[in-house]
Amino acid sequence: ILVQTLQPQLRNTATMKLAVVSTLVGSAAAFAPASKTSSSSSALNAVPYDRPSEALPFAKSGCPATLDGSLPGDAGFDPVGFSTTPIFQLFDSKSGGSNTMSDLYWLREAELTHGRIAQLAVVGFLWPAFFGTFPGNEWTGVDAYSYANPLEELDHVPYLAVAQIVAAMSWVELKRVSLIKEQGSSRIPGDLLLGQGPGDRINPFGLNYTPEEFYEKQVQEIKHCRLAMLGAFGLYCQAANSGLDIKSQIGAALVYPEWYQKAGYFIPEGI
């Protein structure tokens, strides 16, 4: 009777152990070194990683074949494999591959758009703290715009002011979407028909760079975009964590502690 009672439990225990061992073996296989080949490939759609990466010089085959250096600012950095995915299907599944931008151009479109918004966000974090804020009035409130921390300002600014920002950004986005549909596969990523470029456009500053200079300006923009995305994320987290504007944070960091000039300042105060 005891054997018959314990037999199902033992069978269940053995089954559980077998399942755990199978899981561990599968996990170990995922981290096991691959066979020695001349190049690796993305597991998403078998795009080979067959060239050295400027951004990852320690990886002999750290750059996918999709990053051929044709885009400004391309340093061969794509360890996750975003450039190897059929990304256009997520945004333009109706046009077909021949009537829309390539996967790589769609990614650059997104990178430029996010980077430009991040640059505006960085300015929005810095300007109120270092250069002051707008005056309020009786309708908005005298102190409606007097908060240097943008996250704190959101709790006091009138809703119509926020609606104006949302409306303006929505118009820009709708214009960008219409240009993507209109230009199709010939679209230059991020082109809003402003400044120098082909076709009819608005060029108020009369920009007329040589091809080499224009390429360098494109490299500068994408670098600023990438830096701004990191900067905006850091500014947001720090403002949310400290509750202070950027000027107050920097000022507090440069203040010497009261015990700094004491003999043995490394000893905690009161000892």
Tab-separated table of all heavy atoms in Angstrom, residues 35-41 48-52 60-62:
chain	number	residue	atom	x	y	z
A	35	SER	N	29.574	27.371	-33.284
A	35	SER	CA	30.640	26.745	-34.035
A	35	SER	C	31.472	27.795	-34.726
A	35	SER	O	30.983	28.856	-35.103
A	35	SER	CB	30.035	25.795	-35.076
A	35	SER	OG	29.174	26.507	-35.947
A	36	LYS	N	32.736	27.542	-34.938
A	36	LYS	CA	33.649	28.507	-35.506
A	36	LYS	C	33.373	28.654	-36.995
A	36	LYS	O	33.613	27.757	-37.788
A	36	LYS	CB	35.103	28.057	-35.285
A	36	LYS	CG	35.498	28.045	-33.811
A	36	LYS	CD	36.956	27.663	-33.654
A	36	LYS	CE	37.371	27.681	-32.196
A	36	LYS	NZ	38.803	27.320	-32.027
A	37	THR	N	32.845	29.823	-37.346
A	37	THR	CA	32.589	30.155	-38.737
A	37	THR	C	33.164	31.521	-39.016
A	37	THR	O	33.546	32.248	-38.109
A	37	THR	CB	31.085	30.145	-39.047
A	37	THR	OG1	30.445	31.089	-38.176
A	37	THR	CG2	30.478	28.767	-38.847
A	38	SER	N	33.201	31.897	-40.270
A	38	SER	CA	33.778	33.183	-40.642
A	38	SER	C	32.913	34.341	-40.220
A	38	SER	O	33.373	35.461	-40.095
A	38	SER	CB	34.000	33.232	-42.163
A	38	SER	OG	32.757	33.026	-42.842
A	39	SER	N	31.617	34.129	-40.031
A	39	SER	CA	30.733	35.215	-39.622
A	39	SER	C	29.560	34.647	-38.872
A	39	SER	O	29.198	33.478	-39.029
A	39	SER	CB	30.241	35.993	-40.846
A	39	SER	OG	29.483	35.142	-41.688
A	40	SER	N	28.952	35.482	-38.032
A	40	SER	CA	27.741	35.098	-37.336
A	40	SER	C	26.565	35.689	-38.087
A	40	SER	O	26.717	36.417	-39.046
A	40	SER	CB	27.789	35.627	-35.891
A	40	SER	OG	27.926	37.029	-35.890
A	41	SER	N	25.343	35.379	-37.609
A	41	SER	CA	24.171	35.899	-38.295
A	41	SER	C	23.096	36.195	-37.276
A	41	SER	O	23.085	35.660	-36.177
A	41	SER	CB	23.655	34.902	-39.336
A	41	SER	OG	23.256	33.698	-38.704
A	48	PRO	N	23.876	38.141	-42.090
A	48	PRO	CA	25.190	37.843	-41.507
A	48	PRO	C	25.827	39.056	-40.838
A	48	PRO	O	25.694	40.184	-41.300
A	48	PRO	CB	26.004	37.406	-42.733
A	48	PRO	CG	25.357	38.096	-43.880
A	48	PRO	CD	23.891	38.146	-43.562
A	49	TYR	N	26.488	38.791	-39.750
A	49	TYR	CA	27.371	39.775	-39.109
A	49	TYR	C	28.779	39.438	-39.588
A	49	TYR	O	29.483	38.628	-38.983
A	49	TYR	CB	27.266	39.666	-37.588
A	49	TYR	CG	26.080	40.373	-36.994
A	49	TYR	CD1	24.786	39.946	-37.248
A	49	TYR	CD2	26.250	41.495	-36.174
A	49	TYR	CE1	23.690	40.598	-36.706
A	49	TYR	CE2	25.161	42.150	-35.626
A	49	TYR	CZ	23.887	41.699	-35.895
A	49	TYR	OH	22.805	42.354	-35.361
A	50	ASP	N	29.193	40.052	-40.672
A	50	ASP	CA	30.387	39.598	-41.369
A	50	ASP	C	31.458	40.660	-41.540
A	50	ASP	O	32.346	40.508	-42.372
A	50	ASP	CB	29.995	39.069	-42.755
A	50	ASP	CG	29.248	40.120	-43.575
A	50	ASP	OD1	29.007	41.223	-43.044
A	50	ASP	OD2	28.901	39.834	-44.735
A	51	ARG	N	31.405	41.733	-40.762
A	51	ARG	CA	32.402	42.778	-40.920
A	51	ARG	C	32.705	43.416	-39.575
A	51	ARG	O	31.881	43.354	-38.650
A	51	ARG	CB	31.906	43.844	-41.915
A	51	ARG	CG	30.695	44.621	-41.425
A	51	ARG	CD	30.104	45.463	-42.522
A	51	ARG	NE	29.511	44.631	-43.550
A	51	ARG	CZ	29.059	45.096	-44.712
A	51	ARG	NH1	29.189	46.366	-44.988
A	51	ARG	NH2	28.515	44.277	-45.584
A	52	PRO	N	33.869	44.018	-39.432
A	52	PRO	CA	34.197	44.682	-38.167
A	52	PRO	C	33.342	45.922	-37.958
A	52	PRO	O	32.906	46.568	-38.908
A	52	PRO	CB	35.686	45.031	-38.324
A	52	PRO	CG	35.935	45.031	-39.783
A	52	PRO	CD	34.995	44.053	-40.389
A	60	LYS	N	35.259	41.206	-33.947
A	60	LYS	CA	35.747	41.043	-35.313
A	60	LYS	C	34.611	40.991	-36.326
A	60	LYS	O	34.749	41.442	-37.455
A	60	LYS	CB	36.595	39.769	-35.411
A	60	LYS	CG	37.872	39.809	-34.591
A	60	LYS	CD	38.682	38.528	-34.768
A	60	LYS	CE	39.966	38.574	-33.951
A	60	LYS	NZ	40.765	37.340	-34.112
A	61	SER	N	33.481	40.444	-35.932
A	61	SER	CA	32.308	40.380	-36.811
A	61	SER	C	31.113	40.960	-36.062
A	61	SER	O	30.111	40.290	-35.837
A	61	SER	CB	32.028	38.945	-37.252
A	61	SER	OG	33.114	38.414	-37.982
A	62	GLY	N	31.232	42.221	-35.672
A	62	GLY	CA	30.189	42.836	-34.855
A	62	GLY	C	29.225	43.694	-35.618
A	62	GLY	O	28.338	44.311	-35.015
